[in-house]
Amino acid sequence: MIDDPDARDLERLFAPFESTQAMFRHVEKRLTSLELSVAAMEKERAVSEEKRKFMEARFNHIDRRLEKIDGHISRLVWLIIAAILGGFMSFVMQGNVLGG
């Protein structure tokens, strides 16, 4: 009997296998399963990266559009202020002051 605890664990692990061929088939199945899992994770990571790039580009586009809208609103506010001041100045220049 083997006195090494690690060796006994290995012996118990592979005891159900009648031959080394069966053991290798089992190990090969497990390795194939791991390879498929890794491939699936890599695929998921790549898809997530592409989604992130797409969302980043979309948000950049939205930011540019918002900046344009902000610029237009700013111009519109200045035009309204200028129109109000122009109307007031026209009213004052005509001399139609409320008391006269």
Side-chain angles (χ1 to χ4, degrees), residues 13-45:
L13 179 66
F14 294 114
F17 301 110
E18 296 176 8
S19 68
T20 56
Q21 291 292 342
M23 181 183 68
F24 283 130
R25 281 193 299 273
H26 177 72
V27 170
E28 187 174 339
K29 284 180 188 178
R30 291 181 64 197
L31 182 59
T32 302
S33 173
L34 287 173
E35 287 173 343
L36 291 172
S37 296
V38 168
M41 286 189 288
E42 287 176 350
K43 180 180 176 182
E44 180 63 30
R45 185 192 57 79

Side-chain angles (χ1 to χ4, degrees), residues 4-91:
D4 185 16
D6 291 334
R8 281 188 296 214
D9 289 341
L10 285 174
E11 194 175 279
R12 261 187 257 119
L13 179 66
F14 294 114
F17 301 110
E18 296 176 8
S19 68
T20 56
Q21 291 292 342
M23 181 183 68
F24 283 130
R25 281 193 299 273
H26 177 72
V27 170
E28 187 174 339
K29 284 180 188 178
R30 291 181 64 197
L31 182 59
T32 302
S33 173
L34 287 173
E35 287 173 343
L36 291 172
S37 296
V38 168
M41 286 189 288
E42 287 176 350
K43 180 180 176 182
E44 180 63 30
R45 185 192 57 79
V47 168
S48 295
E49 182 68 22
E50 288 301 313
K51 285 181 182 178
R52 186 194 62 79
K53 287 179 185 178
F54 174 75
M55 292 300 291
E56 188 174 311
R58 188 168 172 115
F59 282 129
N60 287 339
H61 178 69
I62 290 171
D63 284 342
R64 284 192 303 272
R65 289 180 59 195
L66 287 175
E67 287 173 7
K68 286 181 183 180
I69 291 170
D70 188 41
H72 293 308
I73 289 173
S74 178
R75 284 187 202 147
L76 184 61
V77 168
W78 279 109
L79 283 173
I80 291 171
I81 291 171
I84 291 171
L85 286 176
F88 178 74
M89 292 302 290
S90 174
F91 181 73

